Amino acid sequence: HADVAMYHAKESGRNSYKAFTLELVKKSISKMELEQDLHKAFLQNQLKIFYQPQIDITLGKILGFEALLRWEHPVKGLISPDEFIPMAETTGFIVKIGEWVMKKACSDIQKLNEQFGQEFQVGINVSPRQFEHPEFVSMVWKALREAGMHPHSVELEITEGLFVKQNGLVEERLQALHDIGVQIAIDDFGTGYSSLAYLKMLEVDYLKIDQSFIRQLPESMQDGAIVDAIITLASNLNLQVIAEGVETSEQAEVLRKLGCAEFQGFFFCHPMPAQQLRLLLDH
């Protein structure tokens, strides 16, 4: 019982205490069952990848896609990535899942590239646990080679929190990925790590503006000022910008006027399976 309470305290941010209750036991059992179900889901092909188009904000042209992991549980229905990704990260299972996502995403988008004679990019989210794995760079290279995909067409998305450790590993790994030719995006920019020093030190190509700054546009002057500052910063550092979560024409117009080059969000279309992308591109 004390062990259950201790882990609950850790999950609540540490530096705290929790008393044991029967409710904690229920949560622990539920979490354990979900973890077991996730392993089954991986083996039984319940995990799917949906793709959200990334759009040239001026021309309305599709430039690439972000690969988004989905889990359709046979009993519980659609389970949010916010629920199972942190669990997979904690257990280390995210490394195996992440490797599968990378191979599948590269394969799917390369098939589109060959079919339509274009070079669409694919954005792939990378968790800290996955990024720090000793074989991560080899996994990326293997996925590219098996799919026959040009490295420049892959955009690996990492979060700002990865830079907190500052132990040299991040800089070394980003340099290795840059040497291969893949591109690096900082996901959810502006919501995590506060120091901007890493932008001048590390090999980064894109900043992705978090949707929390887009949601209240054009009404919120504060959000507009933050978005403007991010776009100006990126421009001065020769970085590309992608705005996430764009849902209205008004939001898209504000971003266009501020000089944002790309966006993604429901305003253009919802994420969809790879087979539906072909129908979208045909039109």
Side-chain angles (χ1 to χ4, degrees):
H1 291 177
D3 202 46
V4 169
M6 178 188 69
Y7 279 104
H8 185 56
K10 287 182 177 180
E11 290 175 353
S12 301
R14 300 177 179 270
N15 195 30
S16 66
Y17 66 89
K18 296 291 179 182
F20 169 80
T21 65
L22 289 177
E23 186 63 30
L24 292 184
V25 173
K26 293 178 182 178
K27 288 182 179 179
S28 295
I29 293 174
S30 177
K31 185 176 179 181
M32 183 172 63
E33 289 175 346
L34 190 65
E35 182 181 339
Q36 293 172 344
D37 285 351
L38 181 58
H39 282 264
K40 292 178 184 177
F42 184 75
L43 295 174
Q44 296 173 4
N45 298 318
Q46 294 175 18
L47 299 180
K48 309 294 181 185
I49 301 178
F50 280 45
Y51 296 92
Q52 185 163 53
Q54 297 174 330
I55 312 300
D56 183 305
I57 206 163
T58 302
L59 303 176
K61 177 183 177 183
I62 297 176
L63 301 176
F65 308 90
E66 180 181 0
L68 301 168
L69 187 61
R70 296 289 184 263
W71 178 11
E72 188 71 46
H73 193 283
V75 177
K76 300 177 181 178
L78 192 64
I79 298 179
S80 169
D82 293 338
E83 186 174 352
F84 70 87
I85 292 295
M87 178 186 65
E89 177 83 6
T90 301
T91 61
F93 193 45
I94 192 66
V95 175
K96 196 172 189 68
I97 293 175
E99 184 177 13
W100 172 79
V101 169
M102 191 168 300
K103 289 183 177 181
K104 184 77 167 60
C106 287
S107 175
D108 284 346
I109 302 306
Q110 179 58 20
K111 288 176 182 177
L112 287 181
N113 288 342
E114 293 171 357
Q115 179 178 348
F116 291 93
Q118 297 192 47
E119 194 172 317
F120 296 114
Q121 285 192 329
V122 58
I124 303 171
N125 292 282
V126 177
S127 80
R129 189 81 174 257
Q130 185 184 3
F131 186 87
E132 293 169 356
H133 192 277
E135 300 300 319
F136 177 66
V137 177
S138 298
M139 291 178 187
V140 175
W141 181 245
K142 184 177 180 181
L144 290 167
R145 188 174 64 248
E146 289 181 358
M149 193 170 207
H150 192 285
H152 195 71
S153 296
V154 172
E155 168 203 309
L156 299 181
E157 301 186 6
I158 60 178
T159 58
E160 291 178 291
L162 196 62
F163 301 114
V164 173
K165 297 180 180 180
Q166 293 183 329
N167 56 8
L169 173 66
V170 174
E171 186 173 355
E172 176 186 322
R173 195 137 296 172
L174 287 178
Q175 183 62 55
L177 292 167
H178 184 264
D179 291 343
I180 290 176
V182 301
Q183 302 199 71
I184 302 296
I186 306 299
D187 200 13
D188 303 332
F189 185 76
T191 62
Y193 191 50
S194 59
S195 173
L196 299 176
Y198 63 85
L199 289 180
K200 70 176 183 179
M201 295 187 299
L202 303 175
E203 296 290 352
V204 174
D205 303 284
Y206 285 85
L207 300 183
K208 299 195 72 174
I209 305 176
D210 187 71
Q211 60 184 338
S212 62
F213 300 124
I214 307 298
R215 196 172 294 123
Q216 300 301 321
L217 294 179
E219 291 81 9
S220 173
M221 294 180 61
Q222 292 90 342
D223 286 337
I226 291 172
V227 170
D228 187 18
I230 293 174
I231 293 172
T232 301
L233 173 66
S235 177
N236 290 336
L237 293 174
N238 293 319
L239 303 177
Q240 299 294 319
V241 175
I242 301 176
E244 299 181 287
V246 178
E247 298 184 353
T248 68
S249 59
E250 291 81 8
Q251 291 170 349
E253 180 60 18
V254 169
L255 291 166
R256 187 190 65 78
K257 288 181 178 179
L258 291 176
C260 180
E262 299 179 38
F263 78 92
Q264 61 185 77
F266 296 168
F267 171 58
F268 185 82
C269 70
H270 288 247
M272 60 185 68
Q275 58 268 28
Q276 290 186 22
L277 294 180
R278 292 178 172 81
L279 299 176
L280 178 67
L281 293 169
D282 277 334
H283 288 83

